[in-house]
Amino acid sequence: MTVRVGDAAQAPPFQRAALPLLEDSQLRKNVRHATGVIQRKRALVAGELSDWQQLRAAASAIKQQTLRHLDEYLLRFEAACVAAGGQVHWARDADEANAIVLALIRSQNASEVVKIKTMTSDETGLNRALEAGGVHPYETDLAELIVQMGEDRPSHIVVPALHKNRSQVREIFREKMGLPGLGDRPEDLTAAARSYLREKFLRVPVAVCGANFLLADTGGVCIVESEGNGRMCLTLPKTLIAIAGIEKVIPSFRDLEVFLQLLPRSATGERMNPYNSIWTGVREGDGPHQFHVVLLDNGRSGILADAEARQTLHCIRCGACLNACPVYRQTGGHAYGSTYAGPIGAILTPQLQQMRHSQSLPYASSLCGACYEVCPVKINIPEVLIHLRGRVVEQSGLSAEAIGMKAMAAVFSSARRLEAAQRLAQRGQWPWVTDGWIRSLPGMFAGWTAVRDLRAIPRQSFRQWWRERQHGR
Amino acid sequence: MAAEAKQQILARIREANERAVRGKETPVPRDYVHSGGLDAASREELFIERLREYDASVTVCASAGLASTIGVLLQDRGWKHVIMAAGFPAAALPFGFEFRQEAEVENSDLDACDAVITGCEVAIAVTGSIVLRHGVGLGQGTRRFTLLPDRHLCVVRAEQLVETVPEAFALLEPFTNDPLTTISGPSATADIEMTRIRGVHGPRFLEVVLVR
Ligand code: SF4
């Protein structure tokens, strides 16, 4: 078995990859603009729900419960999906998943497929495998189309082309769609994509999608989207293939009432995204005649074996932690060298690869805690980062520094101690702060600020604020 | 080989859980808001406000006036080629217009028509959402029926409108295998500089008639 996460195993260390990106002022401007807009909208609509914290707690508990019985829920999903006319395949790693998908496409004698944005297929390197097998994949999500046509890499898990502005997109479309007169208003660019893709939706016989949620009790699949390209791919082609990580299963249809409140508000700052599709197996006269689900492990079961870090698998890929992260906002996504960027990428990518590659990523953080505060499923990313730093050091032979890290891990191991550490940090860091940005830090963070400035830890952490609010202060 | 992959993955999961599960299992806390506190009038107002924020148009009418309201809308908008979802009540449609039936149309007709008309299963005020259940003859169309056209006219009855997302899910049970689509405003993207553009692939215009 060989686990692969895009090209992460070949990527240079974060600190090195970040340097040229930090010199690219256009890229940094685009990233800051986009993340700033989403962050503000997210804060507004999350703040609107009086039960936001209860929803987060429920979501986190549902995911914990799922992982505890993951084998059972997967089997239940499989049985229900098959009973409804779907077919389920199991893939141990990226190559196995790609081979299954390619064989299914070939069995339909198809040489083209339309695709809905799926980070999982980027993880397995599916497009490259399909092309090597003589099948051309068309990305249909606007941002993914921009990335594909620009021969680029996604830089954000929700808005993969957020590092490109309108005139850069126009250049790509002009050249690749052969539209020399194309304007650069977002309306023009969107209309160009619409007419380019509609013909493909109506003609191409096979679609590939991911899954936001697999429903164990009904065998259903839920896809959350905005543009309608998802609905096109899910209903027009004769054959539909979904590729989904094994952690995407949730116990029941009813649990969607929690996740469909948290996900759109966290991901795009909308109360609800334009379209959600929920379907079960195949339905005569409506949608594909054949439906396949490929359940992908690719290192996930290994993450499950780590008591401290298994919460990584709660992630619903909302991207809120990227938008909130002062490091991501400086560098954009490409520095992480992986399908998964930002704080979630920093913990997910090295773990998927059994900590054998991407060891620099757990250090790509100032541990400010902003990611944890916004995470809708309450993944304590700073705690996991510290734990993984410990593992990196352990693998490279124990050192004094490692003991320091262990101490840090102990500090982060309970919420109260985390607050204490944050308070210390709030006080401790002031000598190095100017205008809310940290220019240089001593000790273990020094390597970091050599790269770029960090945002200061807020004077009052979310937890402090929340507790005070609850006590009516 | 396929069976081997499945057994290996399951074995790895079981082994991992034996090693790394900590603490006792506790029930999922479900103390989030289930039902909202608004009265019917405020609920309708909120729904209308949310739809308008999504650039959807809303017309309110009484049950007895539904057919004439639809007639006025079609006239005003100049929509002539209109297709009704299978099972949509003919009594709700105005005289003097020709409606084609879902069963007799192809993709190309849907692509070229002025609008389609459907009902819905349930609607959610807080999120401005409409939920379609794509069962046979429910008057809500197949999935492609409300996807290929550029305009979707959807009739929502006040008694189908709930305030919160959990209330909607309660009404969607018992679960059947009918596909479901939730629609919150017209199709949209913000992929280019976070500027919201509507109508990428789905209908650009969502026209809601709320029947009190
Ligand atoms: S870790 Fe949390 S905040 Fe980050 S993408 Fe996953 S669910 Fe969203």
Side-chain angles (χ1 to χ4, degrees):
Chain A
M1 194 193 68
T2 37
V3 169
R4 194 175 53 235
V5 186
D7 295 326
Q10 288 83 44
F14 182 88
Q15 289 85 334
R16 184 136 47 87
L19 280 173
L21 299 168
L22 292 165
E23 302 302 318
D24 187 340
S25 58
Q26 183 62 56
L27 176 131
R28 292 181 63 200
K29 215 171 121 197
N30 298 348
V31 173
R32 273 212 202 178
H33 168 72
T35 52
V37 171
I38 315 180
Q39 243 193 320
R40 281 191 294 278
K41 284 171 65 189
R42 189 213 77 91
L44 266 176
V45 296
E48 254 175 35
L49 290 186
S50 62
D51 58 344
W52 188 251
Q53 297 309 328
Q54 284 87 338
L55 287 166
R56 287 178 81 214
S60 166
I62 292 168
K63 286 288 189 176
Q64 270 176 53
Q65 188 196 61
T66 310
L67 293 182
R68 255 186 132 101
H69 308 286
L70 188 57
D71 52 339
E72 283 168 44
Y73 286 123
L74 287 169
L75 288 171
R76 234 181 265 181
F77 169 79
E78 180 184 44
C81 178
V82 168
Q87 297 178 49
V88 176
H89 312 260
W90 302 68
R92 281 163 287 198
D93 61 18
D95 288 338
E96 196 164 34
N98 294 346
I100 292 169
V101 175
L102 186 61
L104 289 171
I105 297 168
R106 285 198 173 139
S107 74
Q108 301 302 307
N109 292 317
S111 58
E112 297 171 312
V113 296
V114 282
K115 282 185 72 202
I116 313 180
K117 184 176 79 147
T118 133
M119 287 292 116
T120 314
S121 80
D122 191 85
E123 174 186 325
T124 65
L126 179 65
N127 285 4
R128 217 180 309 165
L130 293 184
E131 267 160 22
V135 173
H136 184 75
Y138 293 103
E139 295 290 349
T140 66
D141 174 81
L142 181 56
E144 284 287 354
L145 181 67
I146 295 167
V147 167
Q148 187 185 35
M149 286 189 158
E151 292 164 32
D152 200 351
R153 306 276 313 147
S155 72
H156 189 285
I157 56 178
V158 175
V159 209
L162 102 177
H163 57 290
K164 294 274 188 232
N165 68 11
R166 63 181 73 190
S167 55
Q168 294 169 312
V169 174
R170 176 178 61 173
E171 286 319 308
I172 294 168
F173 281 9
R174 269 184 176 172
E175 194 196 319
K176 296 290 157 93
M177 293 183 190
L179 300 169
L182 185 64
D184 76 347
R185 295 179 313 152
E187 289 87 334
D188 305 328
L189 301 168
T190 306
R194 179 185 172 107
S195 54
Y196 173 81
L197 287 171
R198 182 147 294 211
E199 175 267 330
K200 313 250 177 325
F201 290 135
L202 291 166
R203 179 172 58 80
V204 175
V206 181
V208 174
C209 66
N212 290 98
F213 304 99
L214 305 174
L215 314 175
D217 60 344
T218 67
V221 181
C222 175
I223 286 220
V224 174
E225 57 141 346
S226 296
E227 296 171 11
N229 63 308
R231 293 179 67 197
M232 292 279 180
C233 292
L234 300 178
T235 52
L236 295 176
K238 287 208 171 57
T239 301
L240 174 63
I241 306 166
I243 164 165
I246 50 175
E247 83 285 15
K248 288 291 168 73
V249 70
I250 55 175
S252 76
F253 168 69
R254 206 50 195 275
D255 292 322
L256 286 175
E257 71 185 24
V258 174
F259 293 105
L260 290 184
Q261 293 194 74
L262 291 166
L263 179 53
R265 286 177 200 257
S266 301
T268 51
E270 292 168 299
R271 296 187 182 97
M272 192 63 87
N273 47 289
Y275 300 130
N276 296 309
S277 297
I278 301 160
W279 76 96
T280 315
V282 289
R283 164 65 55 112
E284 168 115 40
D286 188 350
H289 305 188
Q290 263 194 39
F291 172 52
H292 301 268
V293 181
V294 181
L295 296 172
L296 175 72
D297 184 344
N298 203 35
R300 287 161 174 78
S301 53
I303 301 180
L304 200 63
D306 182 331
E308 278 81 36
R310 58 195 261 138
Q311 53 179 312
T312 308
L313 297 174
H314 295 184
C315 177
I316 56 173
R317 310 279 189 267
C318 74
C321 58
L322 281 67
N323 305 326
C325 178
V327 176
Y328 176 88
R329 285 166 59 85
Q330 292 288 329
T331 63
H334 292 156
Y336 296 79
S338 160
T339 303
Y340 307 105
I344 181 62
I347 60 173
L348 181 59
T349 304
Q351 287 191 82
L352 284 173
Q353 303 169 98
Q354 291 129 346
M355 306 304 291
R356 292 206 193 104
H357 304 283
S358 312
Q359 293 103 333
S360 66
L361 291 183
Y363 295 89
S365 165
S366 66
L367 304 175
C368 76
C371 47
Y372 180 33
E373 285 173 17
V374 296
C375 178
V377 288
K378 295 181 76 166
I379 301 173
N380 192 331
I381 296 177
E383 180 183 283
V384 178
L385 282 166
I386 301 224
H387 170 72
L388 296 180
R389 287 178 187 186
R391 278 184 64 187
V392 169
V393 171
E394 251 166 47
Q395 282 187 351
S396 62
L398 218 56
S399 70
E401 201 193 7
I403 295 158
M405 303 244 183
K406 286 231 167 102
M408 285 292 278
V411 169
F412 276 79
S413 69
S414 85
R416 271 175 193 286
R417 286 206 229 140
L418 170 63
E419 282 184 63
Q422 282 182 337
R423 269 198 303 277
L424 271 181
Q426 281 161 12
R427 280 191 222 117
Q429 74 179 353
W430 298 128
W432 300 283
V433 175
T434 29
D435 313 328
W437 290 86
I438 303 170
R439 309 286 170 189
S440 67
L441 277 178
M444 63 187 276
F445 299 120
W448 242 99
T449 42
V451 177
R452 207 33 58 120
D453 310 336
L454 304 175
R455 202 187 62 174
I457 295 167
R459 270 186 184 274
Q460 193 186 31
S461 76
F462 180 81
R463 280 166 177 278
Q464 286 169 326
W465 172 83
W466 180 251
R467 211 183 36 217
E468 282 167 22
R469 218 178 78 137
Q470 295 215 310
H471 291 149
R473 278 212 262 153
Chain B
M1 204 191 92
E4 194 193 322
K6 175 177 169 180
Q7 290 319 322
Q8 259 188 32
I9 293 171
L10 289 171
R12 274 195 218 128
I13 290 171
R14 288 173 187 141
E15 209 176 289
N17 273 337
E18 258 162 46
R19 180 132 42 107
V21 164
R22 300 268 190 279
K24 273 233 296 281
E25 182 159 8
T26 49
V28 172
R30 304 239 179 215
D31 53 351
Y32 49 85
V33 174
H34 286 259
S35 20
L38 297 178
D39 60 25
S42 325
R43 187 163 63 230
E44 286 162 24
E45 230 164 87
L46 178 64
F47 181 55
I48 292 167
E49 187 189 310
R50 291 289 144 89
L51 282 169
R52 294 210 166 119
E53 281 172 18
Y54 289 136
D55 304 321
S57 321
V58 194
T59 313
V60 182
C61 72
S63 187
L66 176 57
S68 60
T69 303
I70 293 177
V72 170
L73 271 173
L74 299 185
Q75 195 104 52
D76 281 359
R77 308 281 195 263
W79 296 349
K80 294 193 182 63
H81 302 286
V82 180
I83 309 171
M84 57 185 264
F88 188 85
L93 294 173
F95 291 113
F97 293 85
E98 249 192 75
F99 296 96
R100 294 185 71 186
Q101 302 283 333
E102 182 178 0
E104 57 190 50
V105 300
E106 307 277 328
N107 283 347
S108 53
D109 299 308
L110 290 171
D111 207 7
C113 75
D114 289 326
V116 292
I117 300 189
T118 72
C120 75
E121 185 72 13
V122 44
I124 309 167
V126 165
T127 57
S129 307
I130 287 159
V131 184
L132 302 182
R133 185 196 282 274
H134 307 281
V136 177
L138 296 180
Q140 301 171 38
T142 58
R143 288 183 285 171
R144 70 180 65 181
F145 187 72
T146 49
L147 176 62
L148 291 170
D150 207 16
R151 304 178 192 89
H152 174 199
L153 193 160
C154 183
V155 176
V156 180
R157 298 182 175 275
E159 63 270 19
Q160 293 174 317
L161 178 65
V162 297
E163 186 177 331
T164 68
V165 173
E167 284 172 293
F169 272 85
L171 286 182
L172 290 170
E173 283 196 318
F175 183 85
T176 65
N177 280 356
D178 293 336
L180 300 169
T181 304
T182 78
I183 298 177
S184 307
S187 144
T189 184
D191 276 348
I192 300 169
E193 296 186 14
M194 307 316 291
T195 309
R196 192 170 190 274
I197 307 295
R198 69 178 179 182
V200 195
H201 300 294
R204 264 181 294 188
F205 302 92
L206 176 65
E207 188 90 46
V208 174
V209 177
L210 178 61
V211 187
R212 279 200 171 119

